[in-house]
mmCIF file of all heavy atoms in Angstrom:
data_model
loop_
_atom_site.group_PDB
_atom_site.id
_atom_site.type_symbol
_atom_site.label_atom_id
_atom_site.label_comp_id
_atom_site.label_asym_id
_atom_site.label_seq_id
_atom_site.Cartn_x
_atom_site.Cartn_y
_atom_site.Cartn_z
ATOM 1 N N GLU A 51 -1.165 -284.142 19.247
ATOM 2 C CA GLU A 51 -1.363 -284.417 17.816
ATOM 3 C C GLU A 51 -1.576 -283.132 17.012
ATOM 4 O O GLU A 51 -1.233 -283.048 15.858
ATOM 5 C CB GLU A 51 -2.526 -285.420 17.586
ATOM 6 C CG GLU A 51 -3.913 -284.902 17.893
ATOM 7 C CD GLU A 51 -4.222 -284.987 19.401
ATOM 8 O OE1 GLU A 51 -3.269 -285.219 20.223
ATOM 9 O OE2 GLU A 51 -5.359 -284.785 19.777
ATOM 10 N N GLU A 52 -2.114 -282.095 17.677
ATOM 11 C CA GLU A 52 -2.298 -280.811 16.971
ATOM 12 C C GLU A 52 -0.993 -280.038 16.813
ATOM 13 O O GLU A 52 -0.804 -279.257 15.892
ATOM 14 C CB GLU A 52 -3.303 -279.929 17.728
ATOM 15 C CG GLU A 52 -4.750 -280.276 17.408
ATOM 16 C CD GLU A 52 -5.718 -279.379 18.150
ATOM 17 O OE1 GLU A 52 -5.352 -278.194 18.398
ATOM 18 O OE2 GLU A 52 -6.822 -279.865 18.473
ATOM 19 N N ARG A 53 -0.121 -280.275 17.790
ATOM 20 C CA ARG A 53 1.130 -279.517 17.827
ATOM 21 C C ARG A 53 1.925 -279.618 16.529
ATOM 22 O O ARG A 53 2.442 -278.630 16.038
ATOM 23 C CB ARG A 53 2.017 -280.035 18.951
ATOM 24 C CG ARG A 53 2.118 -279.069 20.107
ATOM 25 C CD ARG A 53 3.088 -279.589 21.111
ATOM 26 N NE ARG A 53 2.362 -279.926 22.324
ATOM 27 C CZ ARG A 53 2.906 -280.583 23.350
ATOM 28 N NH1 ARG A 53 4.161 -281.012 23.276
ATOM 29 N NH2 ARG A 53 2.201 -280.839 24.424
ATOM 30 N N ARG A 54 2.014 -280.829 16.003
ATOM 31 C CA ARG A 54 2.836 -281.050 14.832
ATOM 32 C C ARG A 54 2.293 -280.253 13.630
ATOM 33 O O ARG A 54 3.001 -279.498 12.989
ATOM 34 C CB ARG A 54 2.872 -282.540 14.478
ATOM 35 C CG ARG A 54 4.144 -282.951 13.717
ATOM 36 C CD ARG A 54 4.151 -284.429 13.433
ATOM 37 N NE ARG A 54 2.919 -284.868 12.813
ATOM 38 C CZ ARG A 54 2.676 -284.769 11.486
ATOM 39 N NH1 ARG A 54 3.579 -284.246 10.700
ATOM 40 N NH2 ARG A 54 1.530 -285.193 10.973
ATOM 41 N N LEU A 55 0.973 -280.408 13.437
ATOM 42 C CA LEU A 55 0.323 -279.699 12.318
ATOM 43 C C LEU A 55 0.448 -278.180 12.453
ATOM 44 O O LEU A 55 0.790 -277.455 11.516
ATOM 45 C CB LEU A 55 -1.150 -280.077 12.256
ATOM 46 C CG LEU A 55 -1.466 -281.373 11.497
ATOM 47 C CD1 LEU A 55 -2.960 -281.644 11.580
ATOM 48 C CD2 LEU A 55 -1.013 -281.267 10.053
ATOM 49 N N PHE A 56 0.159 -277.765 13.706
ATOM 50 C CA PHE A 56 0.216 -276.324 13.980
ATOM 51 C C PHE A 56 1.619 -275.778 13.726
ATOM 52 O O PHE A 56 1.823 -274.782 13.037
ATOM 53 C CB PHE A 56 -0.198 -276.066 15.432
ATOM 54 C CG PHE A 56 -0.249 -274.603 15.790
ATOM 55 C CD1 PHE A 56 -1.381 -273.850 15.525
ATOM 56 C CD2 PHE A 56 0.851 -273.985 16.396
ATOM 57 C CE1 PHE A 56 -1.402 -272.506 15.867
ATOM 58 C CE2 PHE A 56 0.812 -272.643 16.720
ATOM 59 C CZ PHE A 56 -0.331 -271.903 16.461
ATOM 60 N N GLY A 57 2.599 -276.515 14.274
ATOM 61 C CA GLY A 57 3.994 -276.103 14.097
ATOM 62 C C GLY A 57 4.371 -276.032 12.624
ATOM 63 O O GLY A 57 5.019 -275.071 12.164
ATOM 64 N N LYS A 58 3.920 -277.033 11.865
ATOM 65 C CA LYS A 58 4.246 -277.067 10.453
ATOM 66 C C LYS A 58 3.650 -275.848 9.730
ATOM 67 O O LYS A 58 4.317 -275.161 8.955
ATOM 68 C CB LYS A 58 3.697 -278.359 9.842
ATOM 69 C CG LYS A 58 4.217 -278.668 8.444
ATOM 70 C CD LYS A 58 3.892 -280.117 8.076
ATOM 71 C CE LYS A 58 4.155 -280.338 6.594
ATOM 72 N NZ LYS A 58 2.901 -280.439 5.853
ATOM 73 N N ALA A 59 2.367 -275.587 10.087
ATOM 74 C CA ALA A 59 1.672 -274.462 9.438
ATOM 75 C C ALA A 59 2.362 -273.130 9.731
ATOM 76 O O ALA A 59 2.586 -272.292 8.843
ATOM 77 C CB ALA A 59 0.218 -274.414 9.888
ATOM 78 N N VAL A 60 2.731 -272.978 11.013
ATOM 79 C CA VAL A 60 3.401 -271.717 11.388
ATOM 80 C C VAL A 60 4.736 -271.585 10.648
ATOM 81 O O VAL A 60 5.072 -270.529 10.109
ATOM 82 C CB VAL A 60 3.616 -271.644 12.913
ATOM 83 C CG1 VAL A 60 4.481 -270.425 13.265
ATOM 84 C CG2 VAL A 60 2.294 -271.571 13.640
ATOM 85 N N ASN A 61 5.488 -272.671 10.594
ATOM 86 C CA ASN A 61 6.780 -272.626 9.913
ATOM 87 C C ASN A 61 6.646 -272.334 8.427
ATOM 88 O O ASN A 61 7.418 -271.553 7.864
ATOM 89 C CB ASN A 61 7.549 -273.934 10.130
ATOM 90 C CG ASN A 61 8.391 -273.853 11.391
ATOM 91 O OD1 ASN A 61 8.851 -272.771 11.758
ATOM 92 N ND2 ASN A 61 8.551 -274.976 12.079
ATOM 93 N N GLU A 62 5.671 -272.940 7.817
ATOM 94 C CA GLU A 62 5.441 -272.668 6.396
ATOM 95 C C GLU A 62 5.121 -271.193 6.167
ATOM 96 O O GLU A 62 5.654 -270.539 5.270
ATOM 97 C CB GLU A 62 4.292 -273.534 5.869
ATOM 98 C CG GLU A 62 4.754 -274.893 5.369
ATOM 99 C CD GLU A 62 3.596 -275.816 5.034
ATOM 100 O OE1 GLU A 62 2.454 -275.287 4.860
ATOM 101 O OE2 GLU A 62 3.836 -277.014 4.951
ATOM 102 N N LEU A 63 4.232 -270.719 7.031
ATOM 103 C CA LEU A 63 3.844 -269.307 6.922
ATOM 104 C C LEU A 63 5.069 -268.407 7.120
ATOM 105 O O LEU A 63 5.292 -267.431 6.404
ATOM 106 C CB LEU A 63 2.758 -268.986 7.946
ATOM 107 C CG LEU A 63 2.124 -267.599 7.829
ATOM 108 C CD1 LEU A 63 1.559 -267.386 6.422
ATOM 109 C CD2 LEU A 63 1.032 -267.415 8.871
ATOM 110 N N LYS A 64 5.898 -268.793 8.090
ATOM 111 C CA LYS A 64 7.091 -268.006 8.389
ATOM 112 C C LYS A 64 8.019 -267.973 7.175
ATOM 113 O O LYS A 64 8.514 -266.912 6.766
ATOM 114 C CB LYS A 64 7.826 -268.619 9.573
ATOM 115 C CG LYS A 64 8.887 -267.705 10.150
ATOM 116 C CD LYS A 64 9.560 -268.342 11.358
ATOM 117 C CE LYS A 64 10.801 -267.550 11.711
ATOM 118 N NZ LYS A 64 11.847 -268.415 12.244
ATOM 119 N N GLU A 65 8.239 -269.123 6.580
ATOM 120 C CA GLU A 65 9.108 -269.200 5.398
ATOM 121 C C GLU A 65 8.539 -268.364 4.253
ATOM 122 O O GLU A 65 9.261 -267.650 3.552
ATOM 123 C CB GLU A 65 9.292 -270.655 4.939
ATOM 124 C CG GLU A 65 10.460 -271.335 5.626
ATOM 125 C CD GLU A 65 10.388 -272.854 5.491
ATOM 126 O OE1 GLU A 65 9.867 -273.350 4.459
ATOM 127 O OE2 GLU A 65 10.838 -273.542 6.435
ATOM 128 N N PHE A 66 7.185 -268.487 4.114
ATOM 129 C CA PHE A 66 6.523 -267.712 3.070
ATOM 130 C C PHE A 66 6.756 -266.212 3.282
ATOM 131 O O PHE A 66 7.176 -265.474 2.379
ATOM 132 C CB PHE A 66 5.022 -268.027 3.053
ATOM 133 C CG PHE A 66 4.238 -267.153 2.126
ATOM 134 C CD1 PHE A 66 4.233 -267.388 0.743
ATOM 135 C CD2 PHE A 66 3.509 -266.068 2.606
ATOM 136 C CE1 PHE A 66 3.514 -266.568 -0.105
ATOM 137 C CE2 PHE A 66 2.795 -265.251 1.751
ATOM 138 C CZ PHE A 66 2.786 -265.501 0.388
#
Side-chain angles (χ1 to χ4, degrees):
E51 69 278 13
E52 277 181 31
R53 251 185 247 171
R54 206 178 51 83
L55 276 177
F56 183 85
K58 192 166 169 253
V60 172
N61 271 329
E62 272 172 18
L63 188 56
K64 193 178 168 213
E65 272 163 31
F66 173 78

